[in-house]
Amino acid sequence: MKKIGVLTSGGDAPGMNAAIRAVVRKAIYHNVEVYGVYGGYSGLISGNIKKLELGSVGDIIHRGGTMLYTARCEEFKTKEGQLQGIQQLKKHGIEGVVVIGGDGSYRGAKALTEHGFPCVGVPGTIDNDIPGTHYTIGFDTALNTVINAIDKIRDTATSHERTFIIEVMGRDAGDIALWSGLAGGAETILIPEENYTVKDIVDRLMKGYERGKKHSIIIVAEGVGSGVEIGQKIKETANLDTRVSVLGHIQRGGSPTAYDRVMASRFGARAVELLMEHNGGRAVGIMENKLVDYDIVKAFEKTRSVDRSMLNLSKELSI
Ligand code: ADP
């Protein structure tokens, strides 16, 4: 391949820029031209495509968000939209595309490949929820943002002897809640993969209070339900002074951590290698600390399960 494209799609994640930079620099290093598709699949359909040079990706490795912008695009779920996108790519002589995004974006990449246009997926989502890889770009940064917030809220919880409910991102996957809860010393962690009862939460809280604990932190992944409602139920059942903090979009932004920059660089470069080998329909990832690539279809067929030993550990450590 002599010309490839790169796009970011779906929810933005810190480290996407570092991945774009890696794609562009790796390709140019190997005499392959790179085109940026601006605005995800929406920009692909409308033909918002521009050539990128070495300097185009200068000074972005440390920035959150994505310089190529991102979008959600319903039209791309249709065959017409996908074929229109391929036409736009062909107009520029582009022969393959690196798609950086989450599982929705992967579905788009798979569709393009099935229409005969090779694409490689790079896992970019703060949720860490793509099957076939142990890590997705942005997770470490999001986690550290959440920990910073928990630490600050803990100061207030301790001073006022209060129970705090902190709602974090994670609609279907509990990784952010689980890892941040463990790292932040939370008393209880609620994740979408596991049922809970208010009685269990209150029993744990009471046990803590009986041994002299004066405050508690409860982490709730958004997929479990509204932190505000769960806080209200705990307040009514336990007669405790509870406060709720919904962290929201601060979890998606910010300068990527060193780990995210390194992973983004490795994933981005590997994706270019695969395209140079004419391997479309693949996704890159990391397993047991080794870079891997696999059929992108596997990303939908496999189910990803949360690490239950971590949930059990958090229960043991927060007694
Ligand atoms: P993420 O990639 O972060 O999971 P979304 O699920 O919103 O984000 O997907 C991003 C975009 O990918 C969608 O807006 C749409 O353009 C495209 N996409 C999602 N599902 C499909 C599909 N089944 N076929 C083709 N494109 C899809």
Side-chain angles (χ1 to χ4, degrees), residues 9-11 41 72-73 76-77 82 102-105 107-108:
S9 163
Y41 292 125
R72 313 232 188 229
C73 173
F76 201 71
K77 292 183 180 169
Q82 292 155 9
D103 65 336
S105 307
R107 282 178 207 282

mmCIF file with all atom_site columns, all heavy atoms in Angstrom, residues 9-11 41 72-73 76-77 82 102-105 107-108, ligand 1:
data_model
loop_
_atom_site.group_PDB
_atom_site.id
_atom_site.type_symbol
_atom_site.label_atom_id
_atom_site.label_alt_id
_atom_site.label_comp_id
_atom_site.label_asym_id
_atom_site.label_entity_id
_atom_site.label_seq_id
_atom_site.pdbx_PDB_ins_code
_atom_site.Cartn_x
_atom_site.Cartn_y
_atom_site.Cartn_z
_atom_site.occupancy
_atom_site.B_iso_or_equiv
_atom_site.pdbx_formal_charge
_atom_site.auth_seq_id
_atom_site.auth_comp_id
_atom_site.auth_asym_id
_atom_site.auth_atom_id
_atom_site.pdbx_PDB_model_num
ATOM   1   N N   . SER A 1 9   ? -13.146 7.594  15.825 1.00 0.00 ? 9   SER A N   1
ATOM   2   C CA  . SER A 1 9   ? -14.610 7.507  15.779 1.00 0.00 ? 9   SER A CA  1
ATOM   3   C C   . SER A 1 9   ? -15.163 7.156  17.159 1.00 0.00 ? 9   SER A C   1
ATOM   4   O O   . SER A 1 9   ? -14.452 6.628  18.019 1.00 0.00 ? 9   SER A O   1
ATOM   5   C CB  . SER A 1 9   ? -14.978 6.426  14.756 1.00 0.00 ? 9   SER A CB  1
ATOM   6   O OG  . SER A 1 9   ? -16.295 6.003  14.898 1.00 0.00 ? 9   SER A OG  1
ATOM   7   N N   . GLY A 1 10  ? -16.443 7.473  17.366 1.00 0.00 ? 10  GLY A N   1
ATOM   8   C CA  . GLY A 1 10  ? -17.088 7.171  18.646 1.00 0.00 ? 10  GLY A CA  1
ATOM   9   C C   . GLY A 1 10  ? -16.626 8.116  19.743 1.00 0.00 ? 10  GLY A C   1
ATOM   10  O O   . GLY A 1 10  ? -16.231 9.251  19.472 1.00 0.00 ? 10  GLY A O   1
ATOM   11  N N   . GLY A 1 11  ? -16.653 7.649  20.978 1.00 0.00 ? 11  GLY A N   1
ATOM   12  C CA  . GLY A 1 11  ? -16.243 8.502  22.111 1.00 0.00 ? 11  GLY A CA  1
ATOM   13  C C   . GLY A 1 11  ? -14.757 8.771  22.060 1.00 0.00 ? 11  GLY A C   1
ATOM   14  O O   . GLY A 1 11  ? -13.981 7.882  21.757 1.00 0.00 ? 11  GLY A O   1
ATOM   15  N N   . TYR A 1 41  ? -16.707 8.655  10.788 1.00 0.00 ? 41  TYR A N   1
ATOM   16  C CA  . TYR A 1 41  ? -17.385 8.136  9.591  1.00 0.00 ? 41  TYR A CA  1
ATOM   17  C C   . TYR A 1 41  ? -18.225 9.206  8.909  1.00 0.00 ? 41  TYR A C   1
ATOM   18  O O   . TYR A 1 41  ? -18.499 9.131  7.717  1.00 0.00 ? 41  TYR A O   1
ATOM   19  C CB  . TYR A 1 41  ? -18.247 6.932  9.956  1.00 0.00 ? 41  TYR A CB  1
ATOM   20  C CG  . TYR A 1 41  ? -17.427 5.727  10.380 1.00 0.00 ? 41  TYR A CG  1
ATOM   21  C CD1 . TYR A 1 41  ? -17.652 5.102  11.603 1.00 0.00 ? 41  TYR A CD1 1
ATOM   22  C CD2 . TYR A 1 41  ? -16.428 5.217  9.557  1.00 0.00 ? 41  TYR A CD2 1
ATOM   23  C CE1 . TYR A 1 41  ? -16.904 3.998  11.986 1.00 0.00 ? 41  TYR A CE1 1
ATOM   24  C CE2 . TYR A 1 41  ? -15.674 4.125  9.932  1.00 0.00 ? 41  TYR A CE2 1
ATOM   25  C CZ  . TYR A 1 41  ? -15.912 3.514  11.151 1.00 0.00 ? 41  TYR A CZ  1
ATOM   26  O OH  . TYR A 1 41  ? -15.167 2.430  11.526 1.00 0.00 ? 41  TYR A OH  1
ATOM   27  N N   . ARG A 1 72  ? -20.523 10.600 15.918 1.00 0.00 ? 72  ARG A N   1
ATOM   28  C CA  . ARG A 1 72  ? -21.365 9.403  15.801 1.00 0.00 ? 72  ARG A CA  1
ATOM   29  C C   . ARG A 1 72  ? -22.135 9.608  14.498 1.00 0.00 ? 72  ARG A C   1
ATOM   30  O O   . ARG A 1 72  ? -22.564 10.723 14.205 1.00 0.00 ? 72  ARG A O   1
ATOM   31  C CB  . ARG A 1 72  ? -22.314 9.291  16.975 1.00 0.00 ? 72  ARG A CB  1
ATOM   32  C CG  . ARG A 1 72  ? -21.592 9.525  18.294 1.00 0.00 ? 72  ARG A CG  1
ATOM   33  C CD  . ARG A 1 72  ? -21.812 8.433  19.306 1.00 0.00 ? 72  ARG A CD  1
ATOM   34  N NE  . ARG A 1 72  ? -21.243 8.844  20.578 1.00 0.00 ? 72  ARG A NE  1
ATOM   35  C CZ  . ARG A 1 72  ? -20.436 8.102  21.317 1.00 0.00 ? 72  ARG A CZ  1
ATOM   36  N NH1 . ARG A 1 72  ? -20.084 6.911  20.927 1.00 0.00 ? 72  ARG A NH1 1
ATOM   37  N NH2 . ARG A 1 72  ? -19.979 8.542  22.465 1.00 0.00 ? 72  ARG A NH2 1
ATOM   38  N N   . CYS A 1 73  ? -22.267 8.575  13.718 1.00 0.00 ? 73  CYS A N   1
ATOM   39  C CA  . CYS A 1 73  ? -22.862 8.742  12.389 1.00 0.00 ? 73  CYS A CA  1
ATOM   40  C C   . CYS A 1 73  ? -23.799 7.576  12.067 1.00 0.00 ? 73  CYS A C   1
ATOM   41  O O   . CYS A 1 73  ? -23.336 6.479  11.743 1.00 0.00 ? 73  CYS A O   1
ATOM   42  C CB  . CYS A 1 73  ? -21.729 8.845  11.367 1.00 0.00 ? 73  CYS A CB  1
ATOM   43  S SG  . CYS A 1 73  ? -22.278 8.856  9.663  1.00 0.00 ? 73  CYS A SG  1
ATOM   44  N N   . PHE A 1 76  ? -23.694 5.845  8.559  1.00 0.00 ? 76  PHE A N   1
ATOM   45  C CA  . PHE A 1 76  ? -22.643 4.881  8.227  1.00 0.00 ? 76  PHE A CA  1
ATOM   46  C C   . PHE A 1 76  ? -23.049 3.447  8.542  1.00 0.00 ? 76  PHE A C   1
ATOM   47  O O   . PHE A 1 76  ? -22.373 2.504  8.158  1.00 0.00 ? 76  PHE A O   1
ATOM   48  C CB  . PHE A 1 76  ? -21.333 5.241  8.928  1.00 0.00 ? 76  PHE A CB  1
ATOM   49  C CG  . PHE A 1 76  ? -20.149 4.619  8.267  1.00 0.00 ? 76  PHE A CG  1
ATOM   50  C CD1 . PHE A 1 76  ? -19.715 5.068  7.037  1.00 0.00 ? 76  PHE A CD1 1
ATOM   51  C CD2 . PHE A 1 76  ? -19.498 3.532  8.845  1.00 0.00 ? 76  PHE A CD2 1
ATOM   52  C CE1 . PHE A 1 76  ? -18.648 4.456  6.392  1.00 0.00 ? 76  PHE A CE1 1
ATOM   53  C CE2 . PHE A 1 76  ? -18.428 2.922  8.211  1.00 0.00 ? 76  PHE A CE2 1
ATOM   54  C CZ  . PHE A 1 76  ? -18.003 3.388  6.982  1.00 0.00 ? 76  PHE A CZ  1
ATOM   55  N N   . LYS A 1 77  ? -24.156 3.299  9.258  1.00 0.00 ? 77  LYS A N   1
ATOM   56  C CA  . LYS A 1 77  ? -24.626 1.937  9.549  1.00 0.00 ? 77  LYS A CA  1
ATOM   57  C C   . LYS A 1 77  ? -25.348 1.341  8.336  1.00 0.00 ? 77  LYS A C   1
ATOM   58  O O   . LYS A 1 77  ? -25.691 0.170  8.323  1.00 0.00 ? 77  LYS A O   1
ATOM   59  C CB  . LYS A 1 77  ? -25.552 1.949  10.763 1.00 0.00 ? 77  LYS A CB  1
ATOM   60  C CG  . LYS A 1 77  ? -24.808 2.293  12.052 1.00 0.00 ? 77  LYS A CG  1
ATOM   61  C CD  . LYS A 1 77  ? -25.709 2.239  13.256 1.00 0.00 ? 77  LYS A CD  1
ATOM   62  C CE  . LYS A 1 77  ? -24.925 2.590  14.510 1.00 0.00 ? 77  LYS A CE  1
ATOM   63  N NZ  . LYS A 1 77  ? -25.785 2.811  15.665 1.00 0.00 ? 77  LYS A NZ  1
ATOM   64  N N   . GLN A 1 82  ? -21.742 3.339  3.716  1.00 0.00 ? 82  GLN A N   1
ATOM   65  C CA  . GLN A 1 82  ? -20.417 2.693  3.694  1.00 0.00 ? 82  GLN A CA  1
ATOM   66  C C   . GLN A 1 82  ? -19.806 2.758  2.286  1.00 0.00 ? 82  GLN A C   1
ATOM   67  O O   . GLN A 1 82  ? -18.619 3.065  2.134  1.00 0.00 ? 82  GLN A O   1
ATOM   68  C CB  . GLN A 1 82  ? -20.571 1.232  4.148  1.00 0.00 ? 82  GLN A CB  1
ATOM   69  C CG  . GLN A 1 82  ? -20.958 1.121  5.616  1.00 0.00 ? 82  GLN A CG  1
ATOM   70  C CD  . GLN A 1 82  ? -21.682 -0.180 5.955  1.00 0.00 ? 82  GLN A CD  1
ATOM   71  O OE1 . GLN A 1 82  ? -21.765 -1.093 5.133  1.00 0.00 ? 82  GLN A OE1 1
ATOM   72  N NE2 . GLN A 1 82  ? -22.207 -0.267 7.165  1.00 0.00 ? 82  GLN A NE2 1
ATOM   73  N N   . GLY A 1 102 ? -13.919 2.593  19.580 1.00 0.00 ? 102 GLY A N   1
ATOM   74  C CA  . GLY A 1 102 ? -14.464 1.502  20.384 1.00 0.00 ? 102 GLY A CA  1
ATOM   75  C C   . GLY A 1 102 ? -15.186 0.474  19.530 1.00 0.00 ? 102 GLY A C   1
ATOM   76  O O   . GLY A 1 102 ? -14.997 0.427  18.306 1.00 0.00 ? 102 GLY A O   1
ATOM   77  N N   . ASP A 1 103 ? -16.044 -0.319 20.142 1.00 0.00 ? 103 ASP A N   1
ATOM   78  C CA  . ASP A 1 103 ? -16.620 -1.451 19.397 1.00 0.00 ? 103 ASP A CA  1
ATOM   79  C C   . ASP A 1 103 ? -17.553 -1.010 18.272 1.00 0.00 ? 103 ASP A C   1
ATOM   80  O O   . ASP A 1 103 ? -17.611 -1.658 17.222 1.00 0.00 ? 103 ASP A O   1
ATOM   81  C CB  . ASP A 1 103 ? -17.279 -2.468 20.334 1.00 0.00 ? 103 ASP A CB  1
ATOM   82  C CG  . ASP A 1 103 ? -18.477 -1.904 21.054 1.00 0.00 ? 103 ASP A CG  1
ATOM   83  O OD1 . ASP A 1 103 ? -18.543 -0.665 21.207 1.00 0.00 ? 103 ASP A OD1 1
ATOM   84  O OD2 . ASP A 1 103 ? -19.346 -2.686 21.461 1.00 0.00 ? 103 ASP A OD2 1
ATOM   85  N N   . GLY A 1 104 ? -18.255 0.104  18.446 1.00 0.00 ? 104 GLY A N   1
ATOM   86  C CA  . GLY A 1 104 ? -19.097 0.621  17.365 1.00 0.00 ? 104 GLY A CA  1
ATOM   87  C C   . GLY A 1 104 ? -18.240 0.963  16.155 1.00 0.00 ? 104 GLY A C   1
ATOM   88  O O   . GLY A 1 104 ? -18.557 0.612  15.010 1.00 0.00 ? 104 GLY A O   1
ATOM   89  N N   . SER A 1 105 ? -17.123 1.609  16.408 1.00 0.00 ? 105 SER A N   1
ATOM   90  C CA  . SER A 1 105 ? -16.202 1.985  15.328 1.00 0.00 ? 105 SER A CA  1
ATOM   91  C C   . SER A 1 105 ? -15.645 0.741  14.644 1.00 0.00 ? 105 SER A C   1
ATOM   92  O O   . SER A 1 105 ? -15.447 0.714  13.423 1.00 0.00 ? 105 SER A O   1
ATOM   93  C CB  . SER A 1 105 ? -15.053 2.828  15.890 1.00 0.00 ? 105 SER A CB  1
ATOM   94  O OG  . SER A 1 105 ? -15.576 3.907  16.611 1.00 0.00 ? 105 SER A OG  1
ATOM   95  N N   . ARG A 1 107 ? -17.223 -1.989 14.250 1.00 0.00 ? 107 ARG A N   1
ATOM   96  C CA  . ARG A 1 107 ? -18.268 -2.530 13.366 1.00 0.00 ? 107 ARG A CA  1
ATOM   97  C C   . ARG A 1 107 ? -18.204 -1.841 12.000 1.00 0.00 ? 107 ARG A C   1
ATOM   98  O O   . ARG A 1 107 ? -18.376 -2.470 10.963 1.00 0.00 ? 107 ARG A O   1
ATOM   99  C CB  . ARG A 1 107 ? -19.652 -2.348 13.984 1.00 0.00 ? 107 ARG A CB  1
ATOM   100 C CG  . ARG A 1 107 ? -19.936 -3.369 15.039 1.00 0.00 ? 107 ARG A CG  1
ATOM   101 C CD  . ARG A 1 107 ? -21.283 -3.185 15.718 1.00 0.00 ? 107 ARG A CD  1
ATOM   102 N NE  . ARG A 1 107 ? -21.213 -3.736 17.057 1.00 0.00 ? 107 ARG A NE  1
ATOM   103 C CZ  . ARG A 1 107 ? -21.286 -5.034 17.337 1.00 0.00 ? 107 ARG A CZ  1
ATOM   104 N NH1 . ARG A 1 107 ? -21.481 -5.900 16.376 1.00 0.00 ? 107 ARG A NH1 1
ATOM   105 N NH2 . ARG A 1 107 ? -21.151 -5.477 18.572 1.00 0.00 ? 107 ARG A NH2 1
ATOM   106 N N   . GLY A 1 108 ? -17.937 -0.556 12.035 1.00 0.00 ? 108 GLY A N   1
ATOM   107 C CA  . GLY A 1 108 ? -17.770 0.199  10.793 1.00 0.00 ? 108 GLY A CA  1
ATOM   108 C C   . GLY A 1 108 ? -16.568 -0.307 10.007 1.00 0.00 ? 108 GLY A C   1
ATOM   109 O O   . GLY A 1 108 ? -16.639 -0.508 8.786  1.00 0.00 ? 108 GLY A O   1
HETATM 110 P P1  . ADP B 2 .   ? -17.551 3.561  19.928 1.00 0.00 ? 1   ADP B P1  1
HETATM 111 O O1  . ADP B 2 .   ? -16.743 3.321  18.702 1.00 0.00 ? 1   ADP B O1  1
HETATM 112 O O2  . ADP B 2 .   ? -16.850 4.426  20.923 1.00 0.00 ? 1   ADP B O2  1
HETATM 113 O O3  . ADP B 2 .   ? -18.093 2.258  20.501 1.00 0.00 ? 1   ADP B O3  1
HETATM 114 P P2  . ADP B 2 .   ? -20.206 4.107  18.808 1.00 0.00 ? 1   ADP B P2  1
HETATM 115 O O4  . ADP B 2 .   ? -20.771 2.819  19.275 1.00 0.00 ? 1   ADP B O4  1
HETATM 116 O O5  . ADP B 2 .   ? -21.013 5.329  18.942 1.00 0.00 ? 1   ADP B O5  1
HETATM 117 O O6  . ADP B 2 .   ? -18.818 4.450  19.502 1.00 0.00 ? 1   ADP B O6  1
HETATM 118 O O7  . ADP B 2 .   ? -19.824 3.920  17.270 1.00 0.00 ? 1   ADP B O7  1
HETATM 119 C C1  . ADP B 2 .   ? -19.201 4.954  16.562 1.00 0.00 ? 1   ADP B C1  1
HETATM 120 C C2  . ADP B 2 .   ? -19.690 4.982  15.146 1.00 0.00 ? 1   ADP B C2  1
HETATM 121 O O8  . ADP B 2 .   ? -19.362 3.755  14.480 1.00 0.00 ? 1   ADP B O8  1
HETATM 122 C C3  . ADP B 2 .   ? -21.198 5.081  14.961 1.00 0.00 ? 1   ADP B C3  1
HETATM 123 O O9  . ADP B 2 .   ? -21.671 6.379  15.118 1.00 0.00 ? 1   ADP B O9  1
HETATM 124 C C4  . ADP B 2 .   ? -21.359 4.591  13.537 1.00 0.00 ? 1   ADP B C4  1
HETATM 125 O O10 . ADP B 2 .   ? -21.011 5.587  12.614 1.00 0.00 ? 1   ADP B O10 1
HETATM 126 C C5  . ADP B 2 .   ? -20.298 3.490  13.460 1.00 0.00 ? 1   ADP B C5  1
HETATM 127 N N1  . ADP B 2 .   ? -20.972 2.190  13.689 1.00 0.00 ? 1   ADP B N1  1
HETATM 128 C C6  . ADP B 2 .   ? -21.479 1.710  14.838 1.00 0.00 ? 1   ADP B C6  1
HETATM 129 N N2  . ADP B 2 .   ? -22.085 0.506  14.639 1.00 0.00 ? 1   ADP B N2  1
HETATM 130 C C7  . ADP B 2 .   ? -21.961 0.229  13.333 1.00 0.00 ? 1   ADP B C7  1
HETATM 131 C C8  . ADP B 2 .   ? -22.396 -0.857 12.484 1.00 0.00 ? 1   ADP B C8  1
HETATM 132 N N3  . ADP B 2 .   ? -23.071 -1.895 12.958 1.00 0.00 ? 1   ADP B N3  1
HETATM 133 N N4  . ADP B 2 .   ? -22.075 -0.789 11.165 1.00 0.00 ? 1   ADP B N4  1
HETATM 134 C C9  . ADP B 2 .   ? -21.394 0.249  10.659 1.00 0.00 ? 1   ADP B C9  1
HETATM 135 N N5  . ADP B 2 .   ? -20.977 1.308  11.395 1.00 0.00 ? 1   ADP B N5  1
HETATM 136 C C10 . ADP B 2 .   ? -21.252 1.300  12.710 1.00 0.00 ? 1   ADP B C10 1
#
